[in-house]
Amino acid sequence: MPTAAPMLAVGFGLGMISAPLADLILGQVAHHHAGSASGLFKTAAQLGIALGTALTTVIFFIHISAGTRGSAVSTAFTNSLCYVVGTLITMWVLMLLLPKPTRTS
């Protein structure tokens, strides 16, 4: 149960970041390049997820050794999730610094 709060924060953070970022990036692309831009955006997102998962796993295994059981695993998992939450908060703050999209009617 102690890991539910950080996982909730991660899910909330991803939801807060992914949709506005896609709107901001793909909204600047010409219509005839929309398909290519969408594919490139999705590929970059998948690459980011893969690298993020790998780095989180590295952080997890830095805090424990092979064969560790019990509360040490929970502590390592919590430390890994704290890293992820910190990264998502940093990304959210940086997104506030991005230029606001202009609406053309």
Side-chain angles (χ1 to χ4, degrees), residues 14-94:
L14 284 172
M16 294 290 292
I17 290 171
S18 61
L21 186 61
D23 184 42
L24 178 70
I25 291 171
L26 297 176
Q28 303 296 320
V29 176
H31 290 290
H32 63 281
H33 291 299
S36 298
S38 177
L40 182 61
F41 177 77
K42 191 66 173 171
T43 301
Q46 292 294 323
L47 180 61
I49 290 169
L51 289 174
T53 301
L55 291 173
T56 303
T57 304
V58 167
I59 291 170
F60 176 77
F61 283 110
I62 284 173
H63 293 297
I64 63 170
S65 59
T68 303
R69 299 182 193 277
S71 64
V73 174
S74 294
T75 301
F77 184 71
T78 302
N79 289 340
S80 298
L81 283 179
C82 288
Y83 156 77
V84 172
V85 169
T87 303
L88 288 173
I89 289 171
T90 302
M91 295 297 293
W92 184 70
V93 169
L94 290 173

